[in-house]
Amino acid sequence: MIRIMQYGAISADEIFARNESELDVSDIVTEIIADVRKNGDAALMAYAKKFDKADITALEVSQEEIDEAFASVEPEFLEILREAAANIRAFHENQVRQGFRMERADGVIMGQKITPIEKAGLYVPGGTAAYPSTVLMDSIPAKIAGCKEICIATPPSANGKINPVILAAAKIAGVDRIFKMGGAQAIAALAYGTESVPKVDKIVGPGNAFVAEAKRQVFGRVSIDMIAGPSDILVIADGKSNPAYVAADLLSQAEHDKMATAVLVTDSMALALQVQAEIEKQLAALPREEIARASIENNGKIIVAEDFEDVLAVANEIAPEHLELCVDDPFAYLDKVQNAGSVFLGRHCPEALGDYFAGPNHTLPTAGTARFSSPLSVDDFIKKTQFTYYTPEALAEVGRKVAYFAEKEGLRAHARSAVIRLEGEK
C-alpha cells in the first residue's frame, strides 16, 4: 500500500528520499562498447542472439520490411499516429530558432548562425513494451531542426523483426534508417560506427540502466540528450479532486517500471486516504499489476501538507518529470512551479495526453534533474556558431585593451596577436 506522510511531522530526508538504483553496470557496459568497437557488426549480431534471442543476418531494416509492417498495422491506429505526429510537429515548429546579426556604427559585425546536427541517433526501447510514441517524440524535432540523417536503433523480437508499430511510426515521422540493435551495444554502434551502422553526432532517447550507462560513457565522442532514470510523476491535488482520477494518474507511471516513482502532494488528508484506497482497488485490475504494485509500495508516497504554499514547495523540491496541477484554476499556480519537466493543467489533463498525443515532448528530465535541464526539443538537434568581424579601425580602438586584459591573465601570445596588428598598421 502507498505510504501517507505528514509534511513537517517527519524528516525532510524521508520526505524527499529518491529512488536510486544500486545496480552498477559500468564494467559490463565498458566491455560491450570495446567489443562493438573491435568487432562491429559481428558483435551486434552476437548480442542480438544473446540478449534478444534473435538470429539476424542484416542489421538494417529493409524498405520491404517497413512496407510490410506498415500494411499490417490497423488503419485506425495509423490515423491516430498521423494525428499525434501532426500535433507534435505543430508544437515543436514553434521552437525553431533564428540566427542573428549585429552591425555597429564602427563597422564591427557580430552574430550567431544556427546549423542542424548532421546525423542523429535515436534509441527506442523494446523489452516489455513497444514505444511508437518515442519514435514520434524523438524524430520529429530532429526532422524540424533539419538533420540530414535520422537513424533509429531498437531491439528486435526473437523472430528477428521489429515491432510493426515502431516501423509504422518511423515511416510517418520520416526516419531515414532503422537498425535492429538494442542495449549498450546499440549506443556503442551509433557512437563509433560499424560496417553497417553510421557514426552519428548525437544520441537521444530513453533506455534501461545499460543504455543510460552507455550514453554516459560515449558522451564526448558524441553528444547526448540526458541520462534518463526511471519515470516519475507528481500530482498536486486539492480536496475537491476525484480520487479515482488521481489514483489512475499515479498508476499510469507506476506501471512503467518497478523503479518508477508516483507521488501525490495534497492539503487534504481526506483525499489522501481516498486515493490510497482507490490505488489498491485499481491495482487489482491492471495487467501489469506486479510492476505497478512494486513501484507503488517501494517508491510511491502521498505527502499531506498544511496549505498550498507548502504543497508547491514540496513539488519544487522534488522537481518531477511530470507534474499535474489538479485544481480549478491551474494557471494561477503555473508561474509558481519552478522545477518540472512537463506540467499538466487542470482536472481533465492526464499525463497520458503528453505521452502520446497532445504535442509537447515526452522525453523529459527525470530524478530531479528538472532543476537544471529541459525536455527534448528542436534545440537538441542544432548547433549555435558565433561569428565576429572587426575593421582595422575598430581593432585600433580596442587592441591595447585586449592586450592589457591578456597580460593580466599571463598570456603574452594572446596580447601579442592584438598588438602586432596595431604595429603593422603603423
Side-chain angles (χ1 to χ4, degrees), residues 4-16 302-303:
I4 296 178
M5 303 176 174
Q6 186 78 46
Y7 183 64
I10 62 175
S11 71
D13 287 346
E14 191 172 353
I15 289 282
F16 299 117
I302 297 175
I303 302 168

Side-chain angles (χ1 to χ4, degrees), residues 55-68:
D55 285 308
I56 57 176
T57 55
L59 290 165
E60 186 164 5
V61 177
S62 67
Q63 187 60 50
E64 182 181 357
E65 289 176 286
I66 295 171
D67 293 341
E68 180 184 334

Side-chain angles (χ1 to χ4, degrees), residues 252-311:
S252 73
Q253 293 307 296
E255 74 170 351
H256 263 301
D257 187 335
K258 291 180 179 180
M259 301 295 289
T261 300
V263 178
L264 166 63
V265 189
T266 181
D267 61 349
S268 168
M269 180 59 78
L271 179 70
L273 292 167
Q274 291 171 327
V275 170
Q276 185 183 54
E278 187 66 35
I279 286 174
E280 288 301 307
K281 177 182 173 182
Q282 293 187 26
L283 268 172
L286 287 180
R288 293 166 68 91
E289 179 187 357
E290 181 187 359
I291 292 172
R293 185 173 293 279
S295 166
I296 287 294
E297 292 183 352
N298 296 329
N299 313 316
K301 61 187 78 170
I302 297 175
I303 302 168
V304 181
E306 286 291 327
D307 52 41
F308 250 63
E309 184 176 336
D310 283 345
V311 166

Side-chain angles (χ1 to χ4, degrees), residues 67-399:
D67 293 341
E68 180 184 334
F70 197 83
S72 73
V73 178
E74 305 96 315
E76 181 183 4
F77 187 57
L78 290 177
E79 191 54 42
I80 291 171
L81 283 175
R82 290 189 185 99
E83 190 173 350
N87 292 341
I88 295 164
R89 193 172 295 111
F91 179 85
H92 288 80
E93 281 173 347
N94 286 284
Q95 298 174 339
V96 175
R97 286 179 178 264
Q98 303 297 325
F100 64 86
R101 178 180 169 118
M102 302 164 51
E103 296 190 26
R104 296 193 330 210
D106 60 0
V108 171
I109 300 172
M110 296 177 287
Q112 178 176 278
K113 70 186 189 76
I114 304 297
T115 307
I117 288 172
E118 188 170 342
K119 293 183 180 180
L122 318 179
Y123 187 82
V124 179
T128 58
Y131 297 100
S133 57
T134 297
V135 176
L136 300 180
M137 293 289 180
D138 290 1
S139 57
I140 289 173
K143 202 77 177 177
I144 291 170
C147 294
K148 291 182 179 178
E149 188 169 75
I150 301 170
C151 303
I152 280 181
T154 192
S157 302
N159 62 7
K161 295 185 177 181
I162 302 299
N163 191 304
V165 296
I166 296 291
L167 298 183
K171 183 172 181 178
I172 287 170
V175 170
D176 298 296
R177 304 177 72 180
I178 306 163
F179 295 92
K180 302 174 183 179
M181 54 187 189
Q185 60 271 24
I187 302 301
L190 291 170
Y192 293 97
T194 70
E195 300 93 321
S196 300
V197 182
K199 180 172 62 174
V200 302
D201 302 305
K202 184 161 189 173
I203 300 172
V204 308
N208 61 18
F210 293 90
V211 170
E213 177 60 27
K215 287 170 72 176
R216 189 192 312 275
Q217 291 193 22
V218 302
F219 177 65
R221 168 68 58 172
V222 294
S223 178
I224 62 171
D225 53 345
M226 63 186 79
I227 305 294
S231 187
D232 63 81
I233 185 170
L234 186 148
V235 177
I236 289 177
D238 60 19
K240 294 190 288 182
S241 298
N242 186 320
Y245 294 179
V246 174
D249 293 353
L250 294 171
L251 290 172
S252 73
Q253 293 307 296
E255 74 170 351
H256 263 301
D257 187 335
K258 291 180 179 180
M259 301 295 289
T261 300
V263 178
L264 166 63
V265 189
T266 181
D267 61 349
S268 168
M269 180 59 78
L271 179 70
L273 292 167
Q274 291 171 327
V275 170
Q276 185 183 54
E278 187 66 35
I279 286 174
E280 288 301 307
K281 177 182 173 182
Q282 293 187 26
L283 268 172
L286 287 180
R288 293 166 68 91
E289 179 187 357
E290 181 187 359
I291 292 172
R293 185 173 293 279
S295 166
I296 287 294
E297 292 183 352
N298 296 329
N299 313 316
K301 61 187 78 170
I302 297 175
I303 302 168
V304 181
E306 286 291 327
D307 52 41
F308 250 63
E309 184 176 336
D310 283 345
V311 166
L312 289 162
V314 170
N316 281 322
E317 179 66 24
I318 291 174
E321 177 186 12
H322 310 94
L323 172 63
E324 290 189 4
L325 275 171
C326 295
V327 294
D328 286 336
D329 184 10
F331 288 97
Y333 297 100
L334 181 58
D335 285 346
K336 297 178 182 179
V337 174
Q338 299 299 314
N339 302 322
S342 192
V343 183
F344 301 85
L345 300 167
R347 304 189 192 278
H348 303 285
C349 191
E351 181 276 334
L353 276 169
D355 274 349
Y356 302 113
F357 199 76
N361 211 281
H362 81 190
T363 300
L364 303 167
T366 61
T369 59
R371 290 180 296 107
F372 53 79
S373 57
S374 307
L376 190 78
S377 71
V378 173
D379 281 352
D380 282 284
F381 300 99
I382 63 167
K383 302 175 294 180
K384 291 163 280 196
T385 304
Q386 302 171 163
F387 58 86
T388 307
Y389 169 78
Y390 267 61
T391 63
E393 295 78 13
L395 178 61
E397 286 292 319
V398 301

